[in-house]
Amino acid sequence: MTTIRLTAAQALVRYLAAQMNEDGETYISGVWAIFGHGNVAGLGEALYGIRDELPTYRGQNEQSMAHAAIAYAKQLGRRRAMAVTSSIGPGATNMVTAAALAHVNRLPVLLIPGDVFANRGPDPVLQQIEDFGDGTVSANDCFKPVSRYFDRITRPEQLLTALPRAFRTMTDPADCGPVTLAFCQDVQAEAFDYPASFFEKKVWRQRRPEPDIAEFEEAVAALKAAKNPVIVAGGGVHFSGATKTLKDFAERHSIPVIETQAGKSALAWDHDLNFGPVGVTGADSANAIAEKADLVFGIGTRFQDFTTGSWALFKNPGRKLLALNVQPYDSAKHNAISLTADAKVGLEKLSNALGSHRFNAPDGGLKQEWFAKADAVTAAPSDANSLPTDMQVIGAVQRSSRDNTVVMCAAGTMPGELHQLWKAKLPLSYHMEYGFSCMGYEIAGGLGIKMAEPHRDVIVMVGDGSYMMMNSELATAVAMGVKITLVITDNRGYGCINRLQMGTGGAEFNNLYAHTNVNPIAIDFTAHAASMGADAHKVSSIAELETALNAAREATVTTVIVIDTDPYPTPDAGGYWWDVAVPEVSAREEVNNARAAYEAALKERQ
């Protein structure tokens, strides 16, 4: 057997460079790295040696580097991924939030934090967490509940089993998610005679599991027995590459489609059978159909509480749930008729079994009524002297966008209103991180999207609260020459949660800056963004915003546009109940009234 003597770190990066996807591309396209004592000597030297084959990118924060990597994988439909390495200690724990985000959203990322010395010679090493009752624990144990696969590399030869397991997890459509390889820092530098065959190119193909015969027959029978079915399109439609298959299936059998946050853009917004977004942040048209449906056919969806209105939305007393999902855990939720299979394969087989069977889809009136309401709230304001709403900002961005524009966001006010109001034309033109709803994902995520698809116009919608939480990768985007456009809506605090606080009877407290500080806060976001190299502008009206957006599209550098918005208005139409528990006892009459309404809603759900 031919062997190659390498350090463990050199072996790891050489293996990464040899793993391919079925399109002939390197599956791990690059490595984000911030070096410290736990990875600079081992992995740092190894990455330098392979830099022409496997590029290394330097970010500003370990969490946001991982966010960029995760957004990259999401935008490419999980066909490629990135790795992220940090030192031991705070560099590692900074990535735990990103690991949780990837775990919830079922997205691949390879996390390689440095770890303690396996030989325990300098024990305790700098930044080591010591468990008084367990000598095997390190800070990296925090990754275990938020990793699909976790391993601690304590000997060089362990890579021979750990790395194939890692790639199987990241490329498996059912188990896909974050992998953590905690890499002991002394082991990174240790040499081993690895088999040369270990570094031969290997192709990881997307498996497409076929449905079980019994499950399939039950699903076909349920569809044929339905009178008013509805399709709930989730993120799995995108990951399966099944958007055209979904379109063909819906058209052939005349079934209305409604979209989750992750599934939005699976069907063009103006398609006759797309009745819009569903659930808490949904459209009147979609929710009205969902309420009456006797068969709710979920495709690639987790049936999150925002999708289901905390399971109050589907009101038909004879309603059945059919779940087509590659992950059995999801397809069996809430006593659903389970159809565990790849979305594309499952839809094709279902369509063949249904033959010419067609349903009576609702007419377009519901949809037309909804978009008339949406157009009204996104139109430019008639009063140029008043603060614009976030809905009006969305309208300006929509009017300035093109079909290849990707609008993205993560948390706060914008996700709900974008889900309701944004008109997505092409698949993957709407990129929302709402599974973990992680503030701070936006800018790094926009960077990852643009790296994944450089030909796209990427518009990052971010509130002032999220911008303050994590903005440093703006400097990275500028330094790398990766052009994105940021629209910062400054409502001077956490406007979304402030409204929720008021909606549950609470007093305005600790959310808007006006209610939190002794001294007033007035942040100059324009100057701050400019200090990191962006072309930054403050606009005072929707008309100025549209002008700035048109200019940004033609610019060659990252542009930041700041606009003050009103923190209180939301769309009057659309939306659905969401289970947010209200205190049973309070001295505030507003809370008691909200509690009474909450109890009434609970009874209605039952």
Side-chain angles (χ1 to χ4, degrees):
M1 180 176 66
T2 304
T3 60
I4 305 173
R5 189 161 182 82
L6 299 168
T7 69
Q10 291 165 350
L12 182 145
V13 299
R14 183 176 291 199
Y15 184 89
L16 297 189
Q19 308 310 299
M20 316 297 289
N21 67 15
E22 54 194 322
D23 297 323
E25 303 163 314
T26 306
Y27 180 76
I28 297 292
S29 64
V31 181
W32 288 94
I34 291 179
F35 295 135
H37 74 92
N39 66 344
V40 67
L43 271 169
E45 187 275 340
L47 286 167
Y48 175 80
I50 203 169
R51 63 193 183 281
D52 293 334
E53 297 176 59
L54 185 67
T56 297
Y57 308 110
R58 218 308 293 276
Q60 315 304 321
N61 181 287
E62 293 86 358
Q63 180 186 148
S64 53
M65 290 194 310
H67 285 169
I70 294 163
Y72 177 92
K74 178 182 174 74
Q75 190 62 28
L76 291 177
R78 305 195 302 198
R79 297 191 308 277
R80 302 186 79 186
M82 288 179 162
V84 189
T85 180
S86 76
S87 185
I88 183 179
T93 54
N94 277 349
M95 294 195 295
V96 173
T97 296
L101 184 154
H103 192 283
V104 169
N105 289 286
R106 322 292 171 85
L107 293 169
V109 61
L110 178 59
L111 304 173
I112 314 171
D115 211 316
V116 299
F117 273 61
N119 65 27
R120 303 192 184 181
D123 195 35
V125 70
L126 177 66
Q127 299 178 324
Q128 181 173 344
I129 299 294
E130 294 182 276
D131 187 309
F132 299 160
D134 188 344
T136 67
V137 166
S138 83
N140 289 329
D141 286 87
C142 295
F143 285 99
K144 288 183 177 180
V146 290
S147 298
R148 291 290 183 194
Y149 177 74
F150 176 92
D151 209 339
R152 180 173 281 113
I153 309 303
T154 60
R155 293 179 60 87
E157 59 267 38
Q158 289 172 351
L159 291 175
L160 295 170
T161 53
L163 284 171
R165 291 171 183 170
F167 274 80
R168 184 215 63 85
T169 300
M170 289 188 293
T171 60
D172 187 284
D175 290 346
C176 185
V179 168
T180 301
L181 298 181
F183 208 167
C184 290
Q185 53 195 290
D186 55 336
V187 178
Q188 294 177 33
E190 292 177 11
F192 182 75
D193 294 320
Y194 291 93
S197 59
F198 188 59
F199 305 108
E200 294 175 357
K201 290 192 182 299
K202 177 177 174 58
V203 176
W204 297 87
R205 294 179 175 83
Q206 180 177 358
R207 291 190 298 107
R208 295 190 177 276
E210 303 258 343
D212 172 79
I213 294 175
E215 285 191 352
F216 180 74
E217 290 176 350
E218 186 178 9
V220 172
L223 279 164
K224 287 183 175 179
K227 300 298 182 186
N228 298 300
V230 63
I231 293 170
V232 179
V237 175
H238 291 294
F239 297 147
S240 174
T243 54
K244 184 180 184 302
T245 309
L246 171 65
K247 175 178 174 291
D248 294 343
F249 181 86
E251 289 175 349
R252 183 178 183 186
H253 306 292
S254 187
I255 305 177
V257 176
I258 54 184
E259 297 176 317
T260 70
Q261 281 278 18
K264 192 174 173 77
S265 79
L267 198 61
W269 74 274
D270 55 356
H271 190 283
D272 288 344
L273 289 169
N274 187 344
F275 281 79
V278 63
V280 176
T281 55
D284 287 342
S285 50
N287 288 342
I289 291 172
E291 284 186 340
K292 297 177 182 178
D294 61 351
L295 181 69
V296 178
F297 182 17
I299 305 174
T301 175
R302 299 185 301 129
F303 286 115
Q304 184 206 33
D305 64 339
F306 257 57
T307 298
T308 65
S310 297
W311 289 99
L313 175 58
F314 309 123
K315 294 185 181 299
N316 188 320
R319 180 267 297 167
K320 291 184 178 180
L321 198 64
L322 169 62
L324 168 57
N325 202 295
V326 74
Q327 172 52 256
Y329 181 88
D330 291 317
S331 65
K333 284 178 178 173
H334 289 267
N335 200 33
I337 298 169
S338 175
L339 184 59
T340 302
D342 171 74
K344 188 174 187 295
V345 170
L347 283 174
E348 289 171 349
K349 288 186 172 295
L350 285 173
S351 190
N352 289 336
L354 289 173
S356 60
H357 192 95
R358 288 177 61 82
F359 301 91
N360 295 317
D363 64 43
L366 281 173
K367 180 173 180 172
Q368 292 167 5
E369 289 175 14
W370 166 250
F371 279 107
K373 295 174 183 176
D375 290 344
V377 297
T378 56
S382 55
D383 182 3
N385 296 317
S386 62
L387 278 177
T389 66
D390 289 320
M391 295 91 78
Q392 291 164 344
V393 170
I394 290 171
V397 175
Q398 183 85 70
R399 291 187 291 274
S400 303
S401 69
R402 299 181 289 193
D403 285 351
N404 78 328
T405 296
V406 178
V407 65
M408 70 85 62
C409 191
T413 297
M414 276 296 173
E417 296 183 1
L418 282 167
H419 189 215
Q420 283 187 318
L421 305 172
W422 187 259
K423 298 173 179 177
K425 186 72 174 178
L426 297 177
L428 296 171
S429 63
Y430 179 87
H431 184 116
M432 185 64 63
E433 194 293 289
Y434 214 53
F436 205 49
S437 189
C438 185
M439 295 178 71
Y441 173 86
E442 295 90 344
I443 296 172
L447 171 60
I449 294 167
K450 188 68 173 181
M451 292 176 73
E453 296 192 305
H455 66 282
R456 296 270 207 166
D457 288 332
V458 179
I459 299 182
V460 178
M461 307 285 280
V462 60
D464 58 296
S466 278
Y467 181 89
M468 288 295 289
M469 280 197 177
M470 191 163 290
N471 53 59
S472 56
E473 300 310 339
L474 178 58
T476 305
V478 171
M480 292 176 63
V482 178
K483 179 205 156 187
I484 56 177
T485 300
L486 267 67
V487 177
I488 301 175
T489 52
D490 183 4
N491 61 18
R492 297 153 300 285
Y494 302 146
C496 173
I497 297 302
N498 188 65
R499 292 193 300 274
L500 180 60
Q501 188 174 54
M502 295 169 65
T504 53
E508 294 185 76
F509 173 65
N510 199 49
N511 284 311
L512 298 184
Y513 290 140
H515 308 138
T516 59
N517 300 285
V518 174
N519 296 316
I521 292 181
I523 301 162
D524 190 339
F525 292 106
T526 310
H528 186 270
S531 74
M532 289 189 279
D535 184 12
H537 308 272
K538 177 72 177 283
V539 299
S540 59
S541 68
I542 293 297
E544 288 183 15
L545 173 60
E546 291 192 48
T547 299
L549 284 165
N550 290 329
R553 191 172 61 231
E554 305 304 323
T556 58
V557 297
T558 287
T559 301
V560 175
I561 308 168
V562 184
I563 185 168
D564 291 340
T565 59
D566 190 331
Y568 293 104
T570 59
D572 293 329
Y576 213 79
W577 181 72
W578 183 34
D579 192 342
V580 178
V582 179
E584 286 191 68
V585 179
S586 174
R588 287 178 55 82
E589 182 180 356
E590 297 91 337
V591 174
N592 295 329
N593 291 338
R595 176 69 193 189
Y598 174 69
E599 291 177 352
L602 286 177
K603 289 180 180 178
E604 186 176 346
R605 180 175 68 179
Q606 295 168 355

